[in-house]
Amino acid sequence: MKTKKSLFFTVLIALVLLLVSCETSVSIVYNQPSEINMGSYRNVAVASTVPFKGMTKPPFFVRAIDVDAFWDTYITSSYDTSISEKSANYATKKLVATLEKSGFFNVTPPEKTDVMLNSSVVGVSTVDALKNNNIDAVIIPKITSLSINEFIQSKKIVETDYNKKDAQGNPTKVTKTVYYLYQNVDLGFSYTIIDAKTQNVVAVKNFNSSDSRSYEVDKYGFLAPDPYSMIQTMIDSYQGYITKQLVPTKARKNVSLMANKPKVEELKVAYKAAEDGYTSRAAELFLREYNATGHIPSGYNAALLTAAVGDIDGAIELLNEMSLKYSNSDVEKLLSNLLIIKQRNDEALKQLSGEVTHNFQDNSTNIFQVIMGN
């Protein structure tokens, strides 16, 4: 009896999973606004990343944190203070590549930007230099913190030595000391956006991350791996976030069609059309059924498919009409989601069109040099 029950529930679960997997999902593609409205700042000048200036010189040998490691290991440190400059150069390269790849900005590279930001030394104001080069905004990246902590720690491991036997002929136990190098890296990175005309700060974004690695090492002569690769990985990880912060992007929301309940046989062709990707045709068939009978799944699906072909306003209009006639949580949820999507899409379109939303006052302070620490 128990076997039959188990078999019944197994079959039931499989059927439910099959039904769920057979649901047709529809994608609504829309524009997602960037976190910072850069619509009026399409011509940007990127300065060289300001390196972290508080980097301490590492000891020649990596420190040990226990007695055995202290007396037994001599591991050469893996880095020197030049890693600060290397990290800044890499951050500059990645940020410029991210902005250029977006296709949203006209990017003036650091070689030219640095000259403009220091133009006062040749008698031209920074603001005038930027204006003469049609720069809307300056982006100043900065390594705000960088610390590398390396240490050696020993660990006792008991192993079985099958080559040595005790008096009874059993393998002996041998205690072995193993040494591990630990590297912990903490990195802080920021970028500041400055209005080129007014020198007002538009936005400041900060990133902080950590990474740790460990290696089994020999007692003598082991050169610790360069932690620069960890820093590169952390800087790489910021780029996706920077894109979302500065550039409107495409977004996608997947929503399943409402099931055919109460079932209308004639709608099989509409569901099949949607499944096969004939979105407009499916929307037309569902709308025809809804207008004729008031079939809620048909109205819901017609609205969803209408949104999927890009007519979000038309979908909202239909759902508003349905919500006045019927009380249905699925209809209300889809309506709410589409209203949010419309709001985001409209905001993104404003950014793409370059609509100006900033109204700053002139600032006489040379904020560029302040941010750079000069």
Side-chain angles (χ1 to χ4, degrees), residues 95-280:
L95 179 59
V96 169
T98 294
L99 297 176
E100 289 180 337
K101 185 179 177 181
S102 74
F104 187 72
F105 298 106
N106 298 312
V107 182
T108 297
E111 309 87 73
K112 292 185 65 176
T113 303
D114 294 346
V115 172
M116 287 187 280
L117 296 186
N118 291 287
S119 59
S120 57
V121 298
V122 292
V124 181
S125 74
T126 300
V127 172
D128 287 340
L130 294 170
K131 181 180 179 181
N132 293 338
N133 285 274
N134 297 314
I135 303 301
D136 300 318
V138 176
I139 300 179
I140 301 178
K142 192 172 189 177
I143 302 293
T144 55
S145 63
L146 177 59
S147 65
I148 302 171
N149 181 23
E150 293 182 319
F151 61 89
I152 303 292
Q153 186 171 24
S154 65
K155 184 178 181 181
K156 302 292 185 183
I157 297 177
V158 178
E159 295 181 340
T160 301
D161 189 345
Y162 291 95
N163 296 317
K164 293 183 180 180
K165 310 287 184 178
D166 59 17
Q168 288 74 38
N170 298 316
T172 58
K173 300 290 184 180
V174 178
T175 300
K176 177 183 176 182
T177 303
V178 181
Y179 302 91
Y180 292 93
L181 165 69
Y182 293 87
Q183 293 178 323
N184 302 320
V185 178
D186 292 288
L187 177 71
F189 173 78
S190 75
Y191 67 86
T192 303
I193 304 171
I194 303 172
D195 185 295
K197 296 182 179 67
T198 66
Q199 297 193 58
N200 279 280
V201 173
V202 177
V204 180
K205 289 297 176 182
N206 294 283
F207 300 85
N208 292 281
S209 53
S210 302
D211 196 3
S212 299
R213 296 180 187 178
S214 62
Y215 310 86
E216 185 176 340
V217 298
D218 297 326
K219 288 199 299 182
Y220 305 107
F222 182 88
L223 179 61
D226 191 343
Y228 178 56
S229 62
M230 282 193 277
I231 295 171
Q232 289 177 302
T233 300
M234 286 187 271
I235 292 172
D236 290 346
S237 71
Y238 302 153
Q239 305 311 308
Y241 296 105
I242 292 172
T243 298
K244 290 181 179 179
Q245 288 170 347
L246 300 180
V247 182
T249 54
K250 288 291 183 182
R252 181 185 301 271
K253 186 173 183 63
N254 296 322
V255 185
S256 296
L257 293 177
M258 187 182 287
N260 190 8
K261 295 179 182 179
K263 192 169 185 179
V264 177
E265 288 294 333
E266 291 78 6
L267 286 175
K268 285 183 179 179
V269 66
Y271 281 97
K272 186 66 169 62
E275 183 181 345
D276 292 342
Y278 298 105
T279 309
S280 296

Side-chain angles (χ1 to χ4, degrees), residues 299-310:
Y300 177 96
N301 292 339
L304 175 56
L305 292 162
T306 298
V309 298

Side-chain angles (χ1 to χ4, degrees), residues 6 10 17 21 35 62 103 111 154 161 164 187 195 222 233 238 240 272 287-288 302 306 308 318 337 356 360:
S6 299
T10 300
L17 291 174
S21 64
E35 185 178 330
V62 179
E111 309 87 73
S154 65
D161 189 345
K164 293 183 180 180
L187 177 71
D195 185 295
F222 182 88
T233 300
Y238 302 153
K272 186 66 169 62
L287 184 59
R288 182 186 302 170
T306 298
L318 177 55
N337 285 334
V356 179
F360 295 134

Side-chain angles (χ1 to χ4, degrees), residues 283-333:
E284 180 185 334
L285 293 172
F286 279 119
L287 184 59
R288 182 186 302 170
E289 179 63 30
Y290 171 73
N291 287 335
T293 65
H295 187 241
I296 291 178
S298 293
Y300 177 96
N301 292 339
L304 175 56
L305 292 162
T306 298
V309 298
D311 185 6
I312 296 176
D313 288 333
I316 290 174
E317 183 179 351
L318 177 55
L319 290 169
N320 273 323
E321 175 191 315
M322 291 181 68
S323 66
L324 292 174
K325 291 182 179 179
Y326 311 102
S327 177
N328 184 283
S329 59
D330 290 327
V331 170
E332 297 298 332
K333 182 178 179 181

